């Protein structure tokens, strides 16, 4: 075996020993509520398809229509082959949804954060290494973007505006460009950033506020606008509540023009394919009118949170459609997930390094496809599992 292979194997052995090894499990899904694995069907509680749009007739029809009209692939990058007018149409809708002058469609949320942050934090353009104030629990893709730009992050305690204020004050006299990075809704905790306080701090300290609105877009805020109001630059995805794939940046016209010239993820990557653009377009058209579904999902999540807490489970600081049940160790999270699976529920154990050590959890995501009866059955199962040692562990 080549030297590198044995080291990869040693890594796999080590994560296996710590119960942190990940596997790709084969599943099938034919609708938004049920997932099949092996010969069994499960209620799917692991999908970020919060509005249950990925099987919606309108998205499928427009994806098919645009595939037939424009082809299955886009052929090259938007700069190399020319920019299909489909992008302009979607970007106008995104800019309007996010109430920003402009928007730019990107290939995926991960790629957007990785390459947009790299471009925005470019020290050769800014004249200095930026001061980047970042929530400790920001998504891996945001860390990746900062690393790619070779900037050191000043990480504030999760959701703690007072700590952010302290750090900003410490650097008040520093003339380097300042940025604040946060998610609006945190993907593994389902809690919300204190946006009004963060917006005020960004204004008071002359910092550019960049918000990842991935888990709020479509499902939270007025008309599904998300929770990024007051941010200078918003990054988000079409892959969650909006039911398809791809990402966007909503920003000023200058930032958009700059990204077209400097963002490697846009310049060096093939444009999203027309069927995906069709699904995005239909998702945007439908999403703003789905208040009933948004209310339904919020009610389901509240019903679950209250029921789980009443049964002694720790649901952290969740206030959204994402509800973690904190288990503590990786073993405890895997055991809880396995017991739920036996009972017909598919909810995934989330372990370090995705979440901090000691806060492994099972993550529940509620969607418009679920019913109150699903939540009640789930609570019934949790009530019978009764794991008091899990309920005593609190999140860091
Ligand atoms: C906060 C956040 N940002 C970005 C992403 C990446 O988005 P995508 O799945 O479209 O690559 C995710 C999740 O996957 C996320 O949770």
């Amino acid at each position: 075996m080549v030297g590198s292979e044995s080291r990869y194997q040693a890594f796999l052995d080590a994560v296996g020993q710590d119960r942190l090894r990940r596997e790709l499990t084969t599943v099938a899904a034919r609708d938004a509520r049920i997932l099949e694995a092996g010969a069994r069907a499960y209620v799917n509680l692991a999908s970020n398809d919060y509005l249950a749009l990925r099987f919606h007739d309108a998205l499928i029809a427009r994806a098919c229509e645009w595939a037939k009209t424009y082809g299955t692939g886009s052929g090259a990058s938007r700069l190399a082959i020319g920019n299909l007018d489909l992008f302009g149409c979607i970007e106008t809708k995104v800019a309007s949804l996010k109430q920003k002058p402009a928007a730019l469609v990107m290939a995926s949320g991960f790629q957007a954060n990785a390459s947009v942050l790299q471009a925005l934090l470019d020290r050769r353009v800014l004249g200095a290494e930026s001061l980047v104030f970042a929530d400790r629990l920001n998504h891996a893709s945001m860390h990746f973007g900062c690393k790619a730009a070779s900037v050191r992050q000043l990480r504030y305690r999760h959701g703690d505006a007072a700590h952010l204020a302290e750090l900003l004050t410490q650097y008040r006299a520093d003339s380097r460009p300042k940025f604040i990075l946060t998610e609006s809704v945190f993907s593994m905790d389902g809690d919300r950033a204190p946006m009004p306080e963060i917006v005020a701090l960004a204004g008071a300290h002359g910092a550019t506020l960049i918000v990842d609105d991935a888990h709020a877009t479509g499902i939270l805020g007025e008309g599904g606008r998300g929770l990024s109001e007051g941010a200078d630059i918003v990054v988000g995805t079409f892959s969650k509540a909006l039911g398809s794939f791809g990402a966007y940046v909503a920003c000023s016209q200058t930032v958009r023009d700059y990204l077209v010239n400097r963002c490697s993820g846009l310049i060096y990557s093939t444009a999203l394919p027309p069927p995906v653009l069709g699904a995005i377009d239909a998702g945007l058209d439908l999403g703003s009118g789905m208040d009933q579904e948004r209310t339904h999902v919020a009610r389901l999540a509240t019903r679950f949170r209250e029921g789980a807490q009443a049964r002694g489970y720790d649901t952290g600081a969740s206030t959204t459609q994402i509800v973690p049940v904190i288990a503590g160790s990786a073993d405890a999270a895997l055991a809880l997930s396995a017991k739920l699976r036996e009972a017909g529920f598919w909810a995934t154990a989330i372990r370090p390094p995705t979440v901090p050590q000691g806060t492994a959890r099972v993550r529940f995501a509620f969607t418009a496809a679920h019913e109150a009866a699903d939540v009640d059955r789930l609570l019934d199962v949790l009530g019978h599992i009764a794991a008091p040692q899990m309920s005593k562990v609190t999140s860091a």
Side-chain angles (χ1 to χ4, degrees), residues 94-326:
V94 172
S96 157
L97 181 73
K98 295 293 171 186
Q99 301 181 301
K100 288 285 172 205
L104 187 64
V105 168
M106 303 283 301
S108 78
F110 191 99
Q111 190 235 38
N113 274 331
S115 61
V116 166
L117 289 176
Q118 180 189 31
L120 292 176
L121 301 175
D122 189 333
R123 70 178 73 195
R124 280 166 301 180
V125 174
L126 297 174
E129 179 178 336
S130 307
L131 294 166
V132 176
F133 302 85
D135 189 290
R136 236 183 241 284
L137 295 190
N138 277 346
H139 192 258
S141 54
M142 299 177 94
H143 297 308
F144 196 94
C146 291
K147 261 196 184 163
S150 300
V151 297
R152 196 171 61 87
Q153 297 176 65
L154 298 153
R155 293 167 82 174
Y156 58 91
R157 284 190 293 273
H158 173 55
D160 189 340
H163 189 212
L164 170 61
E166 221 175 90
L167 288 175
L168 283 163
T169 305
Q170 213 174 306
Y171 286 89
R172 186 182 281 287
D174 199 313
S175 62
R176 285 176 287 176
K178 293 177 182 137
F179 291 83
I180 300 174
L181 306 185
T182 185
E183 293 176 38
S184 55
V185 168
F186 287 83
S187 57
M188 295 299 140
D189 290 81
D191 59 344
R192 301 164 198 236
M195 283 301 295
E197 288 93 329
I198 294 178
V199 170
L201 284 168
H205 289 267
T208 301
L209 174 56
I210 304 179
V211 172
D212 182 334
D213 218 11
H215 292 276
T217 300
I219 187 71
L220 294 168
E222 195 193 326
R225 252 185 231 302
L227 298 176
S228 53
E229 199 180 332
D232 298 295
I233 298 169
V234 184
V235 182
T237 85
F238 302 112
S239 61
K240 308 193 191 298
L242 293 174
S244 54
F245 188 72
Y248 62 84
V249 187
C251 53
S252 67
Q253 188 60 47
T254 302
V255 168
R256 184 184 186 278
D257 292 345
Y258 171 70
L259 291 173
V260 168
N261 282 274
R262 194 75 188 132
C263 179
S264 55
L266 181 97
I267 299 168
Y268 302 112
S269 187
T270 299
L272 279 180
V276 170
L277 295 174
I280 292 174
D281 194 57
L284 285 166
D285 287 349
L286 278 176
S288 54
M290 297 182 77
D291 283 345
Q292 240 177 312
E293 284 80 357
R294 282 185 274 276
T295 304
H296 174 68
V297 174
R299 285 198 182 126
L300 292 176
T302 302
R303 191 181 187 99
F304 176 69
R305 247 188 322 268
E306 289 175 358
Q309 286 163 8
R311 286 160 181 77
Y313 288 92
D314 176 3
T315 59
S318 160
T319 60
T320 66
Q321 74 284 356
I322 301 164
V323 187
V325 161
I326 314 291

